[in-house]
């Protein structure tokens, strides 16, 4: 369910408040190596309270959107993992969905755009987040009460600038980033802080557009997922970290035709 109350202060400004009820269905983990007590996971329920403000500024050349929210989550569904030792001394890493007791997410989101001149348009966004578990003991018996939830960085941001060189050519420069975050509730491995730069140059003519672009200009290595388990017989299957990395420097050309 959803209830929203909005107040149009002027033709350019609006205050609003909302209450939302969310639901994610429960289910069954199908990996045959999981013990019976980890086989099922329950539904998750969420109450989300949000208060925000939207305004158009500078005769429509700029806008600002701001929102504050509080989420109260029950039986939080979490990506968990377990390492099962085989008879030969090797181990098997099993990923599965489980439930935490409760969790809360509190945050602020800001978004703005500004047509600075007829040629330059700037857009920016910022998100601040405080997330934590409440009364959660993971599959290893560790209490994570008060710890940040996984994949929940304390801040995220993006900034982009569009510059029209003339009627046909325009350039885009952008930066994006996020704070470090836990990869999982089953271990303490964390990502690094991530800051990426991107750019593109575009040519438009009639219905054609050619876009030469590059992402992750500095070719930065950054971790997007992390695991911690024993997998190497050379060190006696000692638990250690394994990481999945994000996209390296990538560049290319895209051709579009609109008809």
């Amino acid at each position: 369910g959803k209830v929203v109350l909005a107040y149009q202060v002027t033709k350019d400004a609006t205050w609003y408040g909302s209450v939302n009820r969310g639901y994610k269905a429960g289910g069954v983990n199908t990996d045959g190596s999981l013990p019976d007590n980890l086989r099922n996971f329950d539904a998750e329920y969420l109450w989300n309270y949000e208060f925000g403000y939207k305004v158009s500024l500078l005769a429509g050349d700029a806008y600002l959107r701001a929102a504050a929210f509080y989420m109260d989550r029950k039986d939080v569904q979490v990506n968990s993992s377990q390492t099962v030792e085989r008879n030969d001394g090797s181990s098997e890493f099993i990923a599965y969905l489980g439930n935490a007791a409760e969790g809360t997410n509190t945050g602020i989101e800001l978004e703005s755009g500004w047509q600075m001149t007829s040629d330059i348009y700037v857009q920016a966004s910022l998100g601040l987040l405080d997330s934590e578990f409440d009364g959660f003991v993971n599959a290893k018996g560790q209490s994570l009460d008060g710890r940040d939830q996984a994949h929940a960085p304390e801040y995220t941001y993006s900034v982009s600038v569009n510059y029209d060189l003339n009627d046909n050519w325009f350039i885009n420069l952008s930066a994006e980033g996020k704070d470090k975050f836990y990869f999982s509730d089953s271990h303490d491995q964390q990502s690094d802080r991530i800051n990426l730069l991107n750019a593109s140059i575009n040519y438009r003519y009639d219905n054609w557009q050619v876009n030469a672009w590059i992402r992750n200009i500095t070719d930065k290595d950054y971790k997007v997922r992390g695991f911690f388990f024993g997998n190497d017989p050379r060190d006696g299957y000692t638990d250690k970290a394994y990481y999945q990395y994000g996209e390296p420097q990538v560049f290319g050309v895209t051709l579009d035709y609109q008809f």
Side-chain angles (χ1 to χ4, degrees):
K2 180 177 181 179
V3 177
V4 180
L5 177 64
Y7 175 53
Q8 190 86 23
V9 183
T10 69
K11 65 181 182 64
D12 297 320
T14 302
W15 290 96
Y16 71 91
S18 67
V19 179
N20 301 268
R21 171 70 162 172
Y23 167 81
K24 290 171 66 177
V28 178
N29 295 297
T30 59
D31 193 298
S33 301
L34 275 175
D36 290 342
N37 64 313
L38 299 179
R39 184 73 63 187
N40 301 321
F41 58 94
D42 297 327
E44 175 183 343
Y45 295 90
L46 162 74
W47 282 102
N48 181 50
Y49 308 90
E50 184 172 326
F51 182 71
Y53 180 65
K54 303 176 183 179
V55 61
S56 178
L57 303 166
L58 303 177
D61 287 338
Y63 73 89
L64 173 66
R65 298 171 187 158
F69 61 86
Y70 175 78
M71 298 180 180
D72 186 12
R73 305 171 66 184
K74 305 294 184 183
D75 291 323
V76 181
Q77 291 182 5
V78 292
N79 290 310
S80 299
S81 62
Q82 185 177 74
T83 303
V84 177
E85 185 174 340
R86 301 187 180 99
N87 294 331
D88 61 0
S90 64
S91 58
E92 178 183 5
F93 178 81
I94 306 171
Y96 66 94
L97 272 177
N99 293 97
E102 296 181 10
T104 57
N105 294 16
T106 306
I108 297 173
E109 296 177 340
L110 301 171
E111 181 184 349
S112 64
W114 181 19
Q115 189 74 49
M116 298 179 63
T117 70
S118 59
D119 302 325
I120 300 176
Y121 180 72
V122 180
Q123 193 169 22
S125 65
L126 173 67
L128 303 176
L129 177 64
D130 178 33
S131 68
E132 62 180 41
F133 290 117
D134 183 11
F136 175 40
V137 178
N138 66 13
K140 296 181 179 180
Q142 300 169 322
S143 174
L144 301 186
D145 187 35
R147 199 181 92 160
D148 290 349
Q149 297 170 23
H151 292 275
E154 291 189 358
Y155 69 80
T156 58
Y157 75 88
S158 67
V159 180
S160 67
V161 179
N162 286 331
Y163 178 44
D164 291 343
L165 300 174
N166 52 44
D167 291 339
N168 301 108
W169 290 92
F170 65 97
I171 296 173
N172 175 267
L173 300 173
S174 66
E176 57 183 301
K178 63 180 65 176
D179 193 16
K180 61 184 179 180
F181 55 85
Y182 286 105
F183 290 117
S184 172
D185 68 283
S186 60
H187 55 78
D188 294 326
Q189 302 301 306
Q190 290 182 279
S191 72
D192 301 317
R193 292 182 175 90
I194 301 171
N195 299 284
L196 303 176
L197 298 175
N198 314 293
S200 66
I201 182 168
N202 302 266
Y203 177 76
R204 294 173 295 200
Y205 181 77
D206 289 339
N207 295 332
W208 294 92
Q209 179 170 302
V210 180
N211 178 18
W213 48 266
I214 180 170
R215 296 195 295 267
N216 191 3
I217 293 175
T218 59
D219 198 23
K220 181 179 179 62
D221 292 331
Y222 60 98
K223 303 162 187 171
V224 294
R225 296 193 68 193
F227 310 91
F228 192 76
F229 63 102
N231 193 48
D232 191 341
R234 295 171 299 178
D235 60 11
Y237 297 102
T238 301
D239 288 347
K240 59 184 178 182
Y242 297 87
Y243 299 109
Q244 177 183 336
Y245 284 83
E247 187 179 68
Q249 183 190 89
V250 179
F251 53 88
V253 177
T254 304
L255 177 64
D256 290 319
Y257 178 73
Q258 185 173 351
F259 57 91

